Amino acid sequence: MPRTITVNDKMQRNYSYELVVGVGDFPSEFAPALTPPKMLELGVFEGKYLNDCTDEFPETWFENAKISEKPSIENNCFRIKSRQPLSVWKEKGWIVEPDPRGWFQWYCRYYIGRRIAGVDAFQIKRWRAFTRHKAQVEKNCDFMDLDCRSRQRQALLQWAYDPFF
């Protein structure tokens, strides 16, 4: 039975969507290594992401999340700057409606069960293309040298890839 989520946060008002599949029910071509709550716990987007969305997602996601009112590299897993202004995201075509915060917001909503055929296919294609960064880290870094290519490792984390290899 579908469940309706209604969003009222700083970037969306009266946006509703249906949860039509179970949590984490993904097609075989989409196999992220990390869940949204794990990503928030490890430290993504300098802690300044989903801060005003806590009503949309399960409370448990935020129990151990590294979030703050102001962005700080101290909140990032690899302690590096990892944010660009939203204007850059829009300019590059990285924002796809109905998710004004980008890929991670799409992933959070997809993870809990929202489905939008064209949008989902596009975002999964983007996620799959990101694997090139994992290949670059594997090629250029010694095993478990987490200081090697920390910017790419942070990016991998922010795209639900395991950056610890």
Side-chain angles (χ1 to χ4, degrees):
M1 188 102 163
R3 192 174 118 218
T4 302
I5 302 288
T6 300
V7 178
N8 285 298
D9 59 36
K10 290 179 184 174
M11 296 184 76
Q12 280 183 312
R13 289 267 172 233
N14 298 315
Y15 168 66
S16 295
Y17 61 91
E18 300 289 324
L19 302 180
V20 296
V21 300
V23 171
D25 184 1
F26 302 151
S28 60
E29 72 271 9
F30 185 59
L34 301 170
T35 66
K38 187 63 176 177
M39 293 165 69
L40 290 166
E41 179 183 331
L42 288 171
V44 291
F45 305 106
E46 298 174 26
K48 188 67 176 141
Y49 202 101
L50 301 184
N51 303 43
D52 63 321
C53 301
T54 55
D55 291 341
E56 181 178 353
F57 302 107
E59 269 184 46
T60 56
W61 287 22
F62 300 97
E63 288 173 356
N64 298 310
K66 293 180 182 173
I67 58 174
S68 62
E69 285 304 309
K70 294 184 179 185
S72 170
I73 62 170
E74 295 304 312
N75 291 319
N76 272 350
C77 182
F78 291 95
R79 305 286 192 257
I80 55 94
K81 181 162 178 50
S82 66
R83 294 170 36 99
Q84 291 183 321
L86 191 57
S87 59
V88 172
W89 293 18
K90 289 177 180 177
E91 181 181 298
K92 295 188 179 271
W94 296 340
I95 301 297
V96 178
E97 290 300 327
D99 304 314
R101 297 170 195 259
W103 186 87
F104 185 58
Q105 184 177 44
W106 167 84
Y107 177 44
C108 291
R109 291 172 171 174
Y110 190 82
Y111 182 84
I112 63 173
R114 183 193 73 180
R115 296 295 182 268
I116 304 172
V119 172
D120 298 344
F122 176 76
Q123 295 291 23
I124 289 170
K125 182 178 178 183
R126 290 180 68 214
W127 174 82
R128 292 182 71 193
F130 211 81
T131 194
R132 70 186 184 279
H133 292 284
K134 184 175 186 210
Q136 290 170 354
V137 173
E138 287 174 328
K139 179 181 177 187
N140 293 290
C141 299
D142 292 332
F143 179 72
M144 288 302 289
D145 179 1
L146 300 180
D147 292 325
C148 180
R149 295 195 173 225
S150 57
R151 186 167 307 280
Q152 277 184 305
R153 288 179 187 274
Q154 183 70 38
L156 287 166
L157 170 60
Q158 293 177 181
W159 280 80
Y161 283 90
D162 181 356
F164 305 106
F165 55 89

